[in-house]
Amino acid sequence: MKRSMTFKFNSETIATVVLFIFLIVYPFVSSEYRALNMASFIAQMIFASSVLLIWGYCGIFSFGQTIFYGFAGYTYAILLKNLGSAAYTPLAMVAGIVVAVIVALVLGYFMFYGGINDMFVGLVTMCVTMTLNTFMAQTANEKWRIGSAALGGYNGINQVPMLTIGAHKLSGFEFYAFVLISFAAIFFALKKISTTRAGYTMIAVRDNRHRTQLLGYNTQLIQVIVFAAGAAIAAFAGILYSAWGNYVGIKMFDLQTATIPVMLVAAGGKRNPAAVFAFSLLYLNLSQRMSVAGNQYALILQGLLMIVVMLFLPDGIFGTLFRFLDKHIFDKLKINNRNRERSAE
C-alpha cells in the first residue's frame, strides 16, 4: 500500500523550509566566489545522501562511496580530455555515472550474494578504497594514460572542463543553481521513497534482514539495487566536484574523503534527511573555517563528533535534537490544538 507525502508541522519540516530558504537566498546576498564555495558544500551534501540512502534506509554500511565518487570523476575528466570538447559534458556525465553503477553492481553482487553484510561490508569497501588510492598514487609516470589523458598520480588531471549545455558553460551562479536544483531533486526523492512500497521494503531489510528474507523477499537483490543507486548519487557528486574544481586527483579515493559522508550521516541522524543536511551544512562551513588555521583541527573535530555520536547519541546530534523538540514542543502543540477543537465542538 502506498502512502502519499503529507505535510507535518514538526522540527523536520521547519528545518527543511529554513534550509531551502537559506540556500535559495544565499547567492542573492553573497558574491559569486562565496556562492561557488557554497556549491561545493551542496555537492558534498549530495555525496552524503548516497550514504543516507544505503545506510539510513537499507542498513548497508559502506566506507567506499569514494570508489564511485572517484571513478565517475576520473571517467568524466578522461572522456572529455580525449574528446577534446566541453560540449560533450552531458555524455561524460552519463558515462561517469554508468561506469560507477557497473562497478557497484559487480562489487555488490559478490558481497551480498557472497553473504557479506553489516560491518564486513564496511571493511571490504574500505579495503577497495585503500587499494584504489594506492594504485592511483603510483600513476605519475607518463605511461599511465588513457588515450590523451595522463592520470598524473598525486598531481591528478588538471583543466577538467566545467559543465556545458550545448555551447553554454555553467559557471558562477548558474552552476550554483544547477547544483541546488539537483540537490533538491535528490532530497525530495529520498523523502518520497520512504512512503512507497520500495521504501518500506528497504526499511524492512534494514531493521531485520533475515525476517524480510523469510517473508519471501530477495534481500540480496534489494541490497545490490540500493547499493547501485547509492553509487549513482555518489558518482553524480564526484562529477560535480570535478566540474567545480576543474580537477580530479587521488584525494577522491582517500580515507578522509571516505569518512566525511559517513560522519555527516551518522552525526546528523541517519534516518532523518533534514537532520543530515542541516548538520552537514553547519559542519562543512565550520570545518572549512577551522582548516584555515590547520587541517588537523578539522580532523580532530571530525573524530570528536564520531566519538560523541557512537557513545551518547546513536540517533545523531540533529536527529536527537529534532526528536526532543517534537516530543516537548510540537507534539504538545498538536495535543493542545486537538483539545481546543474538541472544546469548540
Side-chain angles (χ1 to χ4, degrees), residues 121-156:
V121 173
L123 290 173
V124 170
T125 51
M126 182 174 69
C127 289
V128 175
T129 296
M130 293 174 66
T131 301
L132 287 170
N133 182 260
T134 303
F135 172 78
M136 294 303 296
Q138 53 87 51
T139 58
N141 194 297
E142 278 295 314
K143 70 178 182 179
W144 293 104
R145 60 171 56 245
I146 299 176
S148 60
L151 298 182
Y154 281 100
N155 294 323

Side-chain angles (χ1 to χ4, degrees), residues 1-21:
M1 182 178 68
K2 293 183 179 180
R3 183 178 64 181
S4 60
M5 290 176 61
T6 56
F7 178 82
K8 296 180 180 180
F9 183 68
N10 55 21
S11 55
E12 183 178 358
T13 301
I14 292 174
T16 300
V17 172
V18 171
L19 175 66
F20 277 99
I21 288 176

Side-chain angles (χ1 to χ4, degrees), residues 40-56:
S40 73
F41 291 167
I42 300 173
Q44 288 297 306
M45 290 157 65
I46 292 175
F47 189 25
S49 68
S50 70
V51 177
L52 176 63
L53 173 65
I54 65 172
W55 187 26

Side-chain angles (χ1 to χ4, degrees), residues 287-301:
S287 176
Q288 186 182 72
R289 292 176 183 274
M290 293 180 69
S291 295
V292 174
N295 187 53
Q296 68 273 16
Y297 296 116
L299 294 176
I300 291 170
L301 174 63

